[in-house]
Amino acid sequence: MSYDEFYVKSVVRSISDWPEPGVIFRDVTPVFKDPKAMRITCDAFIQRYIDSPITHIACIDARGFILGSVVAYQLNLPLVLIRKKGKLPGETIAEEYSLEYGSATVELQKDAIQEGDKVLIFDDLIATGGTVLAAASLIKRLGGQVVEVAALIDLPDLQGSQRIQDSGVPVFALLAYEGL
């Protein structure tokens, strides 16, 4: 782990027993409040994708918007929003996915992606992978190709990144936290 990655990891806050007993919540909001950590994080993603063939950045509601918008701006790429059901105006397509207790739905505007677009999906954290897989399905339904999924944090014990890779989509996470 480089000094920069170590620094960012030291800024991420771990909150025990939240949102329920036995869970360690990895809170990325301190990264957004720390200019050095935010710059290191965004610069790492910008450097990774500066020569990439991606044509669009799709970011997932809501913390994915923060990192994705900075990277899209710096790379001069269109930003596509994937939001919770009922939050996007205009015509949308929807994808339901399973949660630990129930289900959720994400939506994408029908005109956000065109046939042949090469899309990078951005989220703050990969846990079980359900949201990302739903987002990838939406993009593919509109004719886009998901080139990679990028996240600040991966929780590999929850096997979400493995599920995403098993679907044929590469995953890049700046940090990983073993253990729940």
Side-chain angles (χ1 to χ4, degrees), residues 82-85 93-95 97 104-107 131 134-135 138:
I82 297 169
R83 301 219 51 200
K84 295 172 182 123
K85 186 175 183 173
I93 59 170
E95 185 79 20
Y97 62 99
T105 302
V106 289
E107 293 181 325
T131 310
L138 291 171

Side-chain angles (χ1 to χ4, degrees), residues 50-119:
I50 197 163
D51 290 324
S52 170
I54 59 174
T55 60
H56 292 69
I57 293 181
C59 49
I60 297 175
D61 201 343
R63 290 178 303 262
F65 294 172
I66 298 167
L67 296 172
S69 63
V70 173
V71 175
Y73 171 77
Q74 289 294 324
L75 298 179
N76 198 32
L77 293 172
L79 183 69
V80 174
L81 303 181
I82 297 169
R83 301 219 51 200
K84 295 172 182 123
K85 186 175 183 173
K87 300 291 183 180
L88 287 172
E91 289 189 61
T92 61
I93 59 170
E95 185 79 20
E96 187 173 338
Y97 62 99
S98 296
L99 298 170
E100 190 172 345
Y101 304 103
S103 65
T105 302
V106 289
E107 293 181 325
L108 177 62
Q109 290 172 322
K110 283 186 175 181
D111 62 354
I113 300 293
Q114 307 299 314
E115 184 77 34
D117 288 346
K118 294 177 175 26
V119 183

Side-chain angles (χ1 to χ4, degrees), residues 6-176:
F6 179 80
Y7 180 80
V8 173
K9 197 167 193 175
S10 75
V11 173
V12 173
R13 181 173 33 206
S14 296
I15 301 173
S16 297
D17 298 319
W18 196 86
E20 59 186 53
V23 173
I24 301 173
F25 183 78
R26 307 302 179 175
D27 182 12
V28 300
T29 57
V31 173
F32 305 145
K33 295 189 301 185
D34 183 312
K36 180 179 176 182
M38 184 67 168
R39 179 170 296 278
I40 289 168
T41 299
C42 291
D43 285 352
F45 288 117
I46 292 162
Q47 290 304 311
R48 179 171 179 83
Y49 298 111
I50 197 163
D51 290 324
S52 170
I54 59 174
T55 60
H56 292 69
I57 293 181
C59 49
I60 297 175
D61 201 343
R63 290 178 303 262
F65 294 172
I66 298 167
L67 296 172
S69 63
V70 173
V71 175
Y73 171 77
Q74 289 294 324
L75 298 179
N76 198 32
L77 293 172
L79 183 69
V80 174
L81 303 181
I82 297 169
R83 301 219 51 200
K84 295 172 182 123
K85 186 175 183 173
K87 300 291 183 180
L88 287 172
E91 289 189 61
T92 61
I93 59 170
E95 185 79 20
E96 187 173 338
Y97 62 99
S98 296
L99 298 170
E100 190 172 345
Y101 304 103
S103 65
T105 302
V106 289
E107 293 181 325
L108 177 62
Q109 290 172 322
K110 283 186 175 181
D111 62 354
I113 300 293
Q114 307 299 314
E115 184 77 34
D117 288 346
K118 294 177 175 26
V119 183
L120 170 67
I121 297 176
F122 239 106
D123 206 357
D124 65 321
L125 184 141
I126 298 171
T128 64
T131 310
V132 169
L133 288 168
S137 177
L138 291 171
I139 290 164
K140 292 174 184 175
R141 283 169 50 196
L142 292 177
Q145 173 194 351
V146 180
V147 174
E148 190 164 79
V149 170
L152 173 55
I153 295 174
D154 180 28
L155 303 177
D157 291 350
L158 296 178
Q159 301 180 349
S161 56
Q162 187 61 54
R163 287 178 62 213
I164 296 164
Q165 291 175 65
D166 289 348
S167 78
V169 178
V171 174
F172 173 76
L174 196 58
L175 305 173

